[in-house]
Amino acid sequence: MSTSNENYLKEVEAPFTPLTAMEEASRCLLCMDAPCSRDCPAGTDPGAFIRAIRFRNFKGAAEIIRKNNILGGVCARVCPYEKLCEGACTRTGIDKPIAIGRLQRFATDNEKATNFTVLDPVPLTKEKVAVIGGGPASLSAAANLALSGYKVTIFEKNEKAGGVLTYGIVPSRLPQYVVDEEIQYVKNLGVEFKYNTRIGKDISIDQLKAQGFRAVFIGVGLQASKPLDVPGKEPKGVISAGDFLSAGNPTDGKKCAVGEYVVVIGGGDVAMTCDTTARLLGAKKVTVLYRRTREEMPAYQPEVRHVESIGVNFIYTFAPEAFIGENGKLKAVKGKGTRDTSSVELQADRVILAIGQKADDDVPGLAPFTYNGSVILADEAKDCKTNIPFIFAAGDIVNGGKTVVQAVAAGKVAAASIDEYLTKERGK
């Protein structure tokens, strides 16, 4: 495999042409109840935009998508369609589901290619709202609030917005230009972005209130890696998934120290992203060490199949027992069987820990929240309210880590709840 960045940056799946998009859309059975639309968490309404594409109304399709999902182009690439809309497709009982994700990508790509703008900014005459974090839940909440006339400012601790979209998904699956274009869409609605600003350190919640922000939305995600309980000091070469991906994605892979023999520990979607990144950036051998079976692995199965297709190896029912180093540098990983007494030793000059994320240490200091375990207690399906009246929360910091489309959906709920709260406050 080439060690250049070409494969790392090239989008894996080819796009539809207008003809192939219409052909695929023509397979739709035009269900009256549209189970695909019913099973989309963000309410993107695939049943409606598929009909539009079928009859060559490409602008109408983009309009349906964008009005329901501000991150329609992103979700077209990273949604677990197999489990959601495509999984519900009636066509599945005949042959195979409609390729809803690829049709959504076609519509949003065509929207940009033709310079068609669905959403226009409205006068921002209402209260100021602070949004903490620039990930998908925050972008969704901010856009919907701006469309309702609120003055929204997103405070992002990094130099770029997007959260996991920018720092946690391999470009071959989600090109950075797509993320940047969707963020620009939010900016064009009048949302202000303040980068390199960490709430809790650079500015406090009380200071935000003093500056006139009447409500606060928290959508910071889970950005800190969980520790791995392996005896002994970790030699140089062991790195968290977050640190590994954040070094690669924003720099087109140029600053990502991959290594030749890479072991990724974990079996979730983040682990698959690390596998793909390491392999496409030139690692000779990438091996996944996972403590359960393939059937128990939580990663999105189409992504697992893609990872296997590019030559990544999997060792199931093994957990790391020790990191073996020489002169402080990593040489190998020793694994122990989780179902028997077997052992394995893998050559490694890079180990990536993808065993889960947790809230950043700053979050508990923001306000005296009520927690549900390690995440903020709020009802994403209902109102996203925290125990503090003017603070709302959604996304991974509430649900513990779900999909981008679920974050978009939660951001919409939060925006509506904030609007309701401020409307009542205005009337007092």
Side-chain angles (χ1 to χ4, degrees):
M1 178 170 289
S2 171
T3 58
S4 73
N5 290 8
E6 181 181 349
N7 291 326
Y8 175 71
L9 297 174
K10 182 180 179 181
E11 200 161 359
V12 173
E13 196 167 44
F16 277 137
T17 65
L19 178 59
T20 55
M22 291 175 66
E23 287 176 344
E24 181 64 18
S26 70
R27 295 178 56 241
C28 178
L29 298 175
L30 303 177
C31 307
M32 290 297 293
D33 60 342
C36 58
S37 294
R38 185 186 63 229
D39 276 29
C40 175
T44 311
D45 201 0
F49 74 69
I50 291 170
R51 287 183 181 87
I53 294 172
R54 179 178 183 144
F55 298 108
R56 205 180 178 86
N57 183 7
F58 301 151
K59 287 188 175 181
E63 189 171 9
I64 292 164
I65 294 166
R66 194 65 69 182
K67 285 185 175 180
N68 291 310
N69 184 344
I70 190 67
L71 300 182
V74 165
C75 288
R77 291 161 168 86
V78 301
C79 261
Y81 291 100
E82 185 181 65
K83 298 178 182 178
L84 299 172
C85 55
E86 289 183 10
C89 179
T90 306
R91 187 88 200 192
T92 305
I94 301 173
D95 45 19
K96 61 180 181 179
I98 306 299
I100 297 173
R102 293 182 68 190
L103 288 174
Q104 183 169 321
R105 174 184 167 186
F106 168 78
T108 54
D109 284 355
N110 186 74
E111 172 195 11
K112 292 161 188 170
T114 57
N115 293 316
F116 176 53
T117 301
V118 174
L119 302 175
D120 293 316
V122 303
L124 304 179
T125 59
K126 297 180 182 178
E127 293 86 351
K128 292 170 64 176
V129 178
V131 173
I132 302 176
S138 294
L139 293 169
S140 174
N144 282 280
L145 284 166
L147 287 167
S148 295
Y150 289 95
K151 304 179 187 75
V152 183
T153 301
I154 292 179
F155 295 88
E156 168 57 52
K157 73 173 185 178
N158 295 309
E159 60 184 20
K160 295 188 73 172
V164 67
L165 308 178
T166 295
Y167 294 98
I169 301 177
V170 65
S172 61
R173 187 178 177 207
L174 177 62
Q176 187 60 42
Y177 77 85
V178 175
V179 181
D180 292 341
E181 287 172 349
E182 308 266 270
I183 291 171
Q184 187 60 51
Y185 215 129
V186 177
K187 289 180 179 178
N188 291 345
L189 296 176
V191 176
E192 182 182 358
F193 285 71
K194 291 192 176 181
Y195 300 106
N196 300 307
T197 304
R198 189 185 288 265
I199 304 299
K201 289 190 175 180
D202 298 320
I203 186 171
S204 68
I205 296 287
D206 287 342
Q207 288 174 317
L208 290 177
K209 289 180 66 179
Q211 291 178 13
F213 290 97
R214 301 292 301 278
V216 175
F217 173 77
I218 298 178
V220 295
L222 303 176
Q223 299 183 355
S225 297
K226 291 181 179 178
L228 180 65
D229 185 18
V230 172
K233 184 178 179 180
E234 293 180 358
K236 186 177 180 181
V238 179
I239 188 173
S240 72
D243 289 342
F244 178 71
L245 294 174
S246 63
N249 290 21
T251 65
D252 292 342
K254 296 182 179 67
K255 294 184 179 180
C256 192
V258 176
E260 294 188 332
Y261 298 92
V262 179
V263 175
V264 177
I265 297 173
D269 291 330
V270 174
M272 298 307 107
T273 301
C274 293
D275 303 333
T276 306
T277 299
R279 185 72 176 128
L280 295 183
L281 287 178
K284 287 184 179 179
K285 186 175 183 179
V286 180
T287 303
V288 174
L289 197 65
Y290 180 58
R291 61 196 176 105
R292 297 192 177 99
T293 65
R294 190 188 196 283
E295 291 72 26
E296 294 173 292
M297 194 162 60
Y300 183 41
Q301 285 304 305
E303 191 66 17
V304 175
R305 293 192 288 270
H306 169 67
V307 167
E308 291 173 330
S309 75
I310 61 174
V312 172
N313 306 287
F314 285 77
I315 297 180
Y316 298 104
T317 67
F318 276 87
E321 183 178 20
F323 300 124
I324 301 170
E326 185 177 295
N327 299 322
K329 293 184 179 180
L330 181 69
K331 290 294 181 183
V333 178
K334 185 177 181 181
K336 61 180 179 180
T338 57
R339 306 291 167 92
D340 54 34
T341 58
S342 301
S343 64
V344 65
E345 187 170 307
L346 302 171
Q347 180 181 355
D349 54 13
R350 170 69 75 192
V351 167
I352 303 168
L353 305 178
I355 57 173
Q357 304 292 107
K358 64 177 184 176
D360 193 289
D361 291 339
D362 288 347
V363 174
L366 292 178
F369 296 115
T370 298
Y371 283 84
N372 178 20
S374 61
V375 295
I376 296 174
L377 181 63
D379 188 342
E380 284 188 328
K382 182 181 178 183
D383 54 24
C384 298
K385 292 180 179 178
T386 70
N387 57 300
I388 302 170
F390 67 96
I391 300 182
F392 302 75
D396 289 356
I397 194 61
V398 170
N399 61 45
K402 291 187 178 179
T403 64
V404 172
V405 71
Q406 286 168 312
V408 170
K412 291 169 65 175
V413 172
S417 186
I418 291 170
D419 181 33
E420 181 182 16
Y421 164 76
L422 290 174
T423 300
K424 288 180 180 178
E425 289 293 301
R426 198 181 306 131
K428 290 182 179 179

